[in-house]
Amino acid sequence: MPAADAGDFAAMGASAVLRIASSLERLGTETAFSVLARAKTLERSGVDVIHLEIGEPDFDTPAHVREAAYDAIAAGQTHYGPTAGLPELRAAAAAYLAETRSLTIEPESVLVATGAKPFLFFTVLAVCEPGDEVVYPDPGFPIYESAIRFAGAVPVPLPLREELDFAFDPDELAARIGSRTRLVILNSPQNPTGGAIGPEATAAAAELIGETDAWVLSDEVYWRLLYEGEHVSIATFPGMLERTVLLDGLSKTFAMTGWRCGFAHVPEPLVDPLVRFFTNTTSCVPPFVQLAGVAALTGPQDDVAAMVSEFRARRELVVDGLNAIDGISCRRPRGAFYAFPNVSGLRLGADELARRLLEEAGVALLAGSAFGRVGLDNLRISYANSQENLTRALDRIGDFVERLQGPPTGPA
Ligand code: PLP
């Protein structure tokens, strides 16, 4: 074939179609980030926006954790480290997971990644063939469905029922599990509803899954933020640890979202596949971040306790405030820092309401549609903001709803 000359290349350039892989059509996103971007744009044009959209603690990372990072940087811990994680953090995380879940967990079965998110995505990719089924909560963290679809697997949503305080009905789980189920994703306490799976439902899930050859991904990143009842990991039920990726992290518990560090107990057959995914993508978590993680897990826990107690107070403020608004009803969430009020009593649908609350009232929050198909009548409110701002936001929502609903109708 004759070599192309410069003229050919110029002609090709003019008509070139630069393609994006069609698999990208199956990759979802997190609406929280796009709403945050819109809120920031409004702020730049002078609008005062109250942020209830983003899911991250508004507290500072504890001082002793930051100091551990400064010391580690000063000591030169700024190079590549082992992909599976520094031995110090793997050991600390194994001890932490073992003690807090009453399990025996060895450091070799603990991996460290750049947040909890890579574990979600790569576990799905590691276990699913196209056509395999994955059961996951709806409403749920949007990355679950995104990863399932991207892997070519079949998403099988498990409804979380508002009338059950956003727990699932074990019969509905039974109806969704079968020979094609490759993975079951559970999340407790839960994003976006704030619900938590109780011990009975967890036991029922363990029994049902135990009869299949499905893996389990138990997303427990909010487990320290539980205001009622006790956290019970599915990994503690007989035979479950061997098939469960027990996922935890630093982001939510220690207000370390920006540090990007998560860890998990990983069943032996999945250790090498996950390490290979991490080697192919991120190589390692920065060593100074991991050493800060060791300080977080092994150091004083007072900041966590103070944060939990403040979140508890905010939960009361938000739930009571929402329930005082005509047309809105809100279950009392048991954990995390989210409320998921039902707005079906209003004249606007949840999507339009969320949009107009941002544009017209300066309150940024998310519609339930960002989390699946079950919570379409709901809004997600993150109460990771000061009580003062939450009170202002509730006032704005109340005023907006009053204008929306107009004067009460009745006999003339
Ligand atoms: N799992 C759930 C349920 C979440 O809500 C989030 C973050 O919002 C994550 C995992 C990811 O956390 P990380 O910051 O550790 O990646």
Side-chain angles (χ1 to χ4, degrees), residues 365-411:
L365 39 68
L366 303 181
S369 58
F371 302 94
R373 276 156 290 278
V374 172
L376 298 185
D377 286 335
N378 300 70
L379 298 176
R380 189 194 76 167
I381 290 182
S382 161
Y383 50 85
N385 206 329
S386 66
Q387 296 197 37
E388 188 194 341
N389 281 339
L390 291 169
T391 305
R392 288 170 56 226
L394 287 164
D395 287 345
R396 288 184 186 186
I397 297 171
D399 290 348
F400 181 85
V401 166
E402 210 173 297
R403 285 199 302 279
L404 178 74
Q405 300 295 85
T409 49

Short mmCIF file of all heavy atoms in Angstrom, two decimals, residues 365-411:
data_model
loop_
_atom_site.label_atom_id
_atom_site.label_comp_id
_atom_site.label_asym_id
_atom_site.label_seq_id
_atom_site.Cartn_x
_atom_site.Cartn_y
_atom_site.Cartn_z
N LEU A 365 -29.94 19.55 46.67
CA LEU A 365 -30.18 18.20 47.18
C LEU A 365 -30.45 17.30 45.97
O LEU A 365 -30.43 17.77 44.83
CB LEU A 365 -31.33 18.18 48.20
CG LEU A 365 -32.55 19.06 47.94
CD1 LEU A 365 -33.32 18.56 46.75
CD2 LEU A 365 -33.44 19.10 49.15
N LEU A 366 -30.68 16.03 46.20
CA LEU A 366 -30.82 15.11 45.07
C LEU A 366 -32.21 14.51 45.03
O LEU A 366 -32.84 14.29 46.08
CB LEU A 366 -29.80 13.98 45.18
CG LEU A 366 -28.33 14.41 45.24
CD1 LEU A 366 -27.43 13.18 45.31
CD2 LEU A 366 -27.95 15.26 44.03
N ALA A 367 -32.67 14.21 43.82
CA ALA A 367 -33.94 13.48 43.67
C ALA A 367 -33.66 11.99 43.81
O ALA A 367 -32.57 11.51 43.47
CB ALA A 367 -34.53 13.78 42.30
N GLY A 368 -34.66 11.25 44.28
CA GLY A 368 -34.51 9.80 44.47
C GLY A 368 -34.17 9.08 43.18
O GLY A 368 -33.55 8.00 43.21
N SER A 369 -34.52 9.67 42.03
CA SER A 369 -34.26 9.01 40.75
C SER A 369 -32.76 8.83 40.50
O SER A 369 -32.36 8.03 39.65
CB SER A 369 -34.88 9.81 39.60
OG SER A 369 -34.36 11.12 39.59
N ALA A 370 -31.92 9.54 41.24
CA ALA A 370 -30.47 9.37 41.08
C ALA A 370 -30.00 8.03 41.64
O ALA A 370 -28.84 7.66 41.45
CB ALA A 370 -29.74 10.50 41.80
N PHE A 371 -30.91 7.31 42.32
CA PHE A 371 -30.48 6.10 43.04
C PHE A 371 -31.24 4.85 42.60
O PHE A 371 -31.22 3.84 43.29
CB PHE A 371 -30.66 6.32 44.55
CG PHE A 371 -29.87 7.49 45.04
CD1 PHE A 371 -30.45 8.76 45.14
CD2 PHE A 371 -28.53 7.36 45.36
CE1 PHE A 371 -29.72 9.85 45.56
CE2 PHE A 371 -27.79 8.44 45.79
CZ PHE A 371 -28.38 9.70 45.89
N GLY A 372 -31.96 4.93 41.48
CA GLY A 372 -32.68 3.75 41.01
C GLY A 372 -34.11 4.09 40.65
O GLY A 372 -34.43 5.26 40.37
N ARG A 373 -34.97 3.08 40.68
CA ARG A 373 -36.34 3.29 40.23
C ARG A 373 -37.37 3.17 41.34
O ARG A 373 -38.55 3.37 41.14
CB ARG A 373 -36.67 2.30 39.10
CG ARG A 373 -36.20 2.79 37.74
CD ARG A 373 -35.99 1.69 36.76
NE ARG A 373 -34.84 0.88 37.11
CZ ARG A 373 -33.56 1.20 36.83
NH1 ARG A 373 -33.30 2.31 36.18
NH2 ARG A 373 -32.57 0.42 37.20
N VAL A 374 -36.90 2.83 42.55
CA VAL A 374 -37.87 2.60 43.64
C VAL A 374 -38.18 3.90 44.41
O VAL A 374 -39.32 4.11 44.81
CB VAL A 374 -37.37 1.49 44.59
CG1 VAL A 374 -38.26 1.37 45.81
CG2 VAL A 374 -37.33 0.14 43.85
N GLY A 375 -37.20 4.77 44.55
CA GLY A 375 -37.42 5.95 45.39
C GLY A 375 -37.79 7.19 44.60
O GLY A 375 -37.32 8.29 44.91
N LEU A 376 -38.66 7.03 43.60
CA LEU A 376 -38.94 8.17 42.71
C LEU A 376 -39.76 9.27 43.37
O LEU A 376 -39.84 10.38 42.85
CB LEU A 376 -39.66 7.68 41.44
CG LEU A 376 -38.86 6.70 40.57
CD1 LEU A 376 -39.61 6.38 39.29
CD2 LEU A 376 -37.47 7.24 40.25
N ASP A 377 -40.39 8.95 44.51
CA ASP A 377 -41.18 9.96 45.22
C ASP A 377 -40.36 10.66 46.31
O ASP A 377 -40.92 11.37 47.14
CB ASP A 377 -42.39 9.30 45.90
CG ASP A 377 -43.46 8.93 44.89
OD1 ASP A 377 -43.51 9.56 43.82
OD2 ASP A 377 -44.23 7.99 45.16
N ASN A 378 -39.05 10.40 46.32
CA ASN A 378 -38.26 10.87 47.46
C ASN A 378 -37.16 11.85 47.04
O ASN A 378 -36.79 11.92 45.87
CB ASN A 378 -37.61 9.67 48.15
CG ASN A 378 -38.65 8.68 48.68
OD1 ASN A 378 -39.31 8.01 47.91
ND2 ASN A 378 -38.81 8.64 49.98
N LEU A 379 -36.66 12.56 48.04
CA LEU A 379 -35.46 13.38 47.88
C LEU A 379 -34.39 12.81 48.78
O LEU A 379 -34.69 12.23 49.82
CB LEU A 379 -35.73 14.82 48.35
CG LEU A 379 -36.79 15.64 47.63
CD1 LEU A 379 -36.94 17.00 48.34
CD2 LEU A 379 -36.41 15.85 46.17
N ARG A 380 -33.12 12.97 48.39
CA ARG A 380 -32.06 12.62 49.34
C ARG A 380 -31.44 13.89 49.87
O ARG A 380 -30.96 14.73 49.12
CB ARG A 380 -30.96 11.77 48.73
CG ARG A 380 -30.03 11.26 49.86
CD ARG A 380 -28.73 10.70 49.37
NE ARG A 380 -27.79 11.74 48.97
CZ ARG A 380 -26.49 11.53 48.74
NH1 ARG A 380 -26.01 10.30 48.86
NH2 ARG A 380 -25.69 12.52 48.37
N ILE A 381 -31.49 13.98 51.20
CA ILE A 381 -30.89 15.13 51.88
C ILE A 381 -29.70 14.64 52.69
O ILE A 381 -29.84 13.75 53.53
CB ILE A 381 -31.94 15.78 52.80
CG1 ILE A 381 -33.01 16.45 51.93
CG2 ILE A 381 -31.30 16.75 53.79
CD1 ILE A 381 -34.08 17.17 52.68
N SER A 382 -28.53 15.19 52.40
CA SER A 382 -27.36 14.86 53.21
C SER A 382 -27.30 15.89 54.34
O SER A 382 -27.23 17.08 54.08
CB SER A 382 -26.11 14.95 52.33
OG SER A 382 -24.97 15.06 53.16
N TYR A 383 -27.34 15.41 55.58
CA TYR A 383 -27.28 16.38 56.68
C TYR A 383 -25.85 16.57 57.20
O TYR A 383 -25.63 16.90 58.38
CB TYR A 383 -28.29 16.10 57.79
CG TYR A 383 -28.37 14.71 58.36
CD1 TYR A 383 -27.52 14.29 59.37
CD2 TYR A 383 -29.34 13.82 57.93
CE1 TYR A 383 -27.62 13.03 59.93
CE2 TYR A 383 -29.45 12.55 58.47
CZ TYR A 383 -28.58 12.16 59.46
OH TYR A 383 -28.69 10.89 60.01
N ALA A 384 -24.91 16.41 56.29
CA ALA A 384 -23.51 16.71 56.62
C ALA A 384 -23.27 18.21 56.44
O ALA A 384 -22.48 18.65 55.60
CB ALA A 384 -22.58 15.90 55.72
N ASN A 385 -24.01 18.99 57.20
CA ASN A 385 -23.87 20.44 57.18
C ASN A 385 -24.24 20.94 58.58
O ASN A 385 -24.89 20.21 59.34
CB ASN A 385 -24.78 21.04 56.08
CG ASN A 385 -24.26 22.38 55.58
OD1 ASN A 385 -23.65 23.13 56.33
ND2 ASN A 385 -24.52 22.67 54.32
N SER A 386 -23.86 22.16 58.90
CA SER A 386 -24.06 22.64 60.28
C SER A 386 -25.55 22.74 60.61
O SER A 386 -26.39 22.90 59.72
CB SER A 386 -23.43 24.03 60.43
OG SER A 386 -24.13 24.95 59.62
N GLN A 387 -25.85 22.69 61.92
CA GLN A 387 -27.25 22.81 62.34
C GLN A 387 -27.82 24.15 61.88
O GLN A 387 -28.99 24.24 61.51
CB GLN A 387 -27.37 22.64 63.85
CG GLN A 387 -26.96 21.25 64.30
CD GLN A 387 -27.44 20.89 65.70
OE1 GLN A 387 -28.53 21.27 66.11
NE2 GLN A 387 -26.62 20.15 66.43
N GLU A 388 -26.98 25.17 61.90
CA GLU A 388 -27.43 26.50 61.45
C GLU A 388 -27.86 26.45 59.97
O GLU A 388 -28.94 26.91 59.61
CB GLU A 388 -26.28 27.49 61.64
CG GLU A 388 -26.67 28.91 61.41
CD GLU A 388 -25.44 29.80 61.28
OE1 GLU A 388 -24.35 29.40 61.72
OE2 GLU A 388 -25.59 30.89 60.69
N ASN A 389 -27.01 25.85 59.14
CA ASN A 389 -27.36 25.76 57.72
C ASN A 389 -28.54 24.83 57.47
O ASN A 389 -29.36 25.08 56.58
CB ASN A 389 -26.15 25.28 56.91
CG ASN A 389 -25.17 26.41 56.66
OD1 ASN A 389 -25.54 27.58 56.73
ND2 ASN A 389 -23.93 26.07 56.38
N LEU A 390 -28.62 23.76 58.25
CA LEU A 390 -29.76 22.85 58.08
C LEU A 390 -31.06 23.58 58.42
O LEU A 390 -32.08 23.43 57.73
CB LEU A 390 -29.59 21.61 58.96
CG LEU A 390 -28.45 20.67 58.53
CD1 LEU A 390 -28.17 19.61 59.60
CD2 LEU A 390 -28.77 20.00 57.19
N THR A 391 -31.03 24.40 59.48
CA THR A 391 -32.23 25.16 59.86
C THR A 391 -32.61 26.13 58.74
O THR A 391 -33.79 26.25 58.37
CB THR A 391 -31.97 25.93 61.18
OG1 THR A 391 -31.53 25.00 62.15
CG2 THR A 391 -33.21 26.64 61.68
N ARG A 392 -31.60 26.80 58.18
CA ARG A 392 -31.88 27.73 57.07
C ARG A 392 -32.45 26.97 55.88
O ARG A 392 -33.39 27.42 55.22
CB ARG A 392 -30.61 28.46 56.64
CG ARG A 392 -30.15 29.51 57.66
CD ARG A 392 -28.76 30.05 57.34
NE ARG A 392 -28.68 30.59 56.00
CZ ARG A 392 -27.70 30.33 55.13
NH1 ARG A 392 -26.71 29.54 55.45
NH2 ARG A 392 -27.70 30.88 53.94
N ALA A 393 -31.89 25.80 55.60
CA ALA A 393 -32.38 25.01 54.45
C ALA A 393 -33.82 24.58 54.68
O ALA A 393 -34.66 24.65 53.76
CB ALA A 393 -31.48 23.80 54.24
N LEU A 394 -34.13 24.15 55.90
CA LEU A 394 -35.50 23.71 56.19
C LEU A 394 -36.47 24.87 56.02
O LEU A 394 -37.58 24.71 55.49
CB LEU A 394 -35.57 23.14 57.61
CG LEU A 394 -34.92 21.76 57.79
CD1 LEU A 394 -34.70 21.46 59.28
CD2 LEU A 394 -35.76 20.66 57.15
N ASP A 395 -36.06 26.06 56.46
CA ASP A 395 -36.91 27.25 56.29
C ASP A 395 -37.16 27.50 54.80
O ASP A 395 -38.29 27.77 54.38
CB ASP A 395 -36.25 28.49 56.90
CG ASP A 395 -36.28 28.45 58.42
OD1 ASP A 395 -37.04 27.62 58.96
OD2 ASP A 395 -35.52 29.22 59.05
N ARG A 396 -36.09 27.41 54.03
CA ARG A 396 -36.24 27.67 52.58
C ARG A 396 -37.15 26.62 51.94
O ARG A 396 -37.98 26.96 51.09
CB ARG A 396 -34.87 27.62 51.90
CG ARG A 396 -34.00 28.82 52.24
CD ARG A 396 -32.70 28.75 51.46
NE ARG A 396 -31.79 29.81 51.87
CZ ARG A 396 -30.63 30.07 51.29
NH1 ARG A 396 -30.24 29.34 50.26
NH2 ARG A 396 -29.85 31.03 51.71
N ILE A 397 -36.97 25.37 52.32
CA ILE A 397 -37.82 24.32 51.73
C ILE A 397 -39.27 24.57 52.14
O ILE A 397 -40.20 24.50 51.32
CB ILE A 397 -37.35 22.91 52.17
CG1 ILE A 397 -35.93 22.63 51.65
CG2 ILE A 397 -38.31 21.83 51.67
CD1 ILE A 397 -35.28 21.37 52.22
N GLY A 398 -39.47 24.88 53.42
CA GLY A 398 -40.83 25.14 53.92
C GLY A 398 -41.49 26.29 53.17
O GLY A 398 -42.64 26.19 52.74
N ASP A 399 -40.75 27.38 52.98
CA ASP A 399 -41.30 28.55 52.27
C ASP A 399 -41.61 28.20 50.83
O ASP A 399 -42.66 28.58 50.28
CB ASP A 399 -40.30 29.72 52.29
CG ASP A 399 -40.14 30.31 53.68
OD1 ASP A 399 -40.97 29.96 54.55
OD2 ASP A 399 -39.18 31.07 53.90
N PHE A 400 -40.70 27.47 50.20
CA PHE A 400 -40.91 27.10 48.80
C PHE A 400 -42.17 26.25 48.66
O PHE A 400 -43.01 26.47 47.78
CB PHE A 400 -39.69 26.34 48.27
CG PHE A 400 -39.80 25.94 46.82
CD1 PHE A 400 -39.45 26.82 45.81
CD2 PHE A 400 -40.31 24.69 46.47
CE1 PHE A 400 -39.59 26.47 44.47
CE2 PHE A 400 -40.45 24.33 45.13
CZ PHE A 400 -40.09 25.23 44.13
N VAL A 401 -42.30 25.28 49.55
CA VAL A 401 -43.46 24.37 49.48
C VAL A 401 -44.75 25.16 49.73
O VAL A 401 -45.77 24.94 49.06
CB VAL A 401 -43.30 23.22 50.51
CG1 VAL A 401 -44.60 22.47 50.71
CG2 VAL A 401 -42.20 22.26 50.04
N GLU A 402 -44.70 26.12 50.64
CA GLU A 402 -45.90 26.91 50.92
C GLU A 402 -46.32 27.69 49.66
O GLU A 402 -47.50 27.71 49.31
CB GLU A 402 -45.59 27.87 52.06
CG GLU A 402 -46.81 28.20 52.90
CD GLU A 402 -46.39 29.02 54.11
OE1 GLU A 402 -45.62 28.48 54.94
OE2 GLU A 402 -46.80 30.19 54.19
N ARG A 403 -45.32 28.28 48.99
CA ARG A 403 -45.64 29.02 47.75
C ARG A 403 -46.18 28.07 46.69
O ARG A 403 -47.12 28.37 45.97
CB ARG A 403 -44.39 29.70 47.20
CG ARG A 403 -43.94 30.93 47.96
CD ARG A 403 -43.01 31.81 47.13
NE ARG A 403 -41.82 31.13 46.66
CZ ARG A 403 -40.72 30.93 47.40
NH1 ARG A 403 -40.69 31.36 48.67
NH2 ARG A 403 -39.67 30.32 46.91
N LEU A 404 -45.58 26.90 46.62
CA LEU A 404 -45.95 25.90 45.62
C LEU A 404 -47.38 25.42 45.81
O LEU A 404 -48.16 25.31 44.86
CB LEU A 404 -44.98 24.71 45.76
CG LEU A 404 -45.18 23.52 44.85
CD1 LEU A 404 -44.70 23.89 43.46
CD2 LEU A 404 -44.36 22.33 45.39
N GLN A 405 -47.71 25.14 47.06
CA GLN A 405 -49.03 24.54 47.32
C GLN A 405 -50.14 25.60 47.28
O GLN A 405 -51.30 25.25 47.11
CB GLN A 405 -49.04 23.84 48.68
CG GLN A 405 -48.01 22.71 48.82
CD GLN A 405 -48.27 21.52 47.90
OE1 GLN A 405 -47.85 21.53 46.75
NE2 GLN A 405 -48.98 20.52 48.39
N GLY A 406 -49.75 26.86 47.45
CA GLY A 406 -50.74 27.93 47.41
C GLY A 406 -51.61 27.90 48.66
O GLY A 406 -51.41 27.08 49.55
N PRO A 407 -52.61 28.83 48.69
CA PRO A 407 -53.47 28.88 49.87
C PRO A 407 -54.28 27.59 49.98
O PRO A 407 -54.59 26.98 48.95
CB PRO A 407 -54.39 30.08 49.58
CG PRO A 407 -54.25 30.36 48.11
CD PRO A 407 -52.97 29.78 47.65
N PRO A 408 -54.57 27.16 51.18
CA PRO A 408 -55.34 25.93 51.35
C PRO A 408 -56.68 26.03 50.62
O PRO A 408 -57.33 27.08 50.67
CB PRO A 408 -55.54 25.82 52.86
CG PRO A 408 -54.98 27.05 53.47
CD PRO A 408 -54.30 27.86 52.42
N THR A 409 -57.06 24.98 49.91
CA THR A 409 -58.35 25.01 49.20
C THR A 409 -59.43 24.47 50.15
O THR A 409 -59.16 23.63 50.98
CB THR A 409 -58.29 24.14 47.94
OG1 THR A 409 -57.75 22.88 48.29
CG2 THR A 409 -57.46 24.77 46.84
N GLY A 410 -60.62 24.97 50.04
CA GLY A 410 -61.70 24.50 50.90
C GLY A 410 -62.99 25.14 50.43
O GLY A 410 -62.99 25.87 49.43
N PRO A 411 -64.07 24.87 51.11
CA PRO A 411 -65.36 25.44 50.70
C PRO A 411 -65.30 26.97 50.74
O PRO A 411 -64.72 27.53 51.67
CB PRO A 411 -66.35 24.89 51.72
CG PRO A 411 -65.54 24.20 52.77
CD PRO A 411 -64.16 24.03 52.30
#
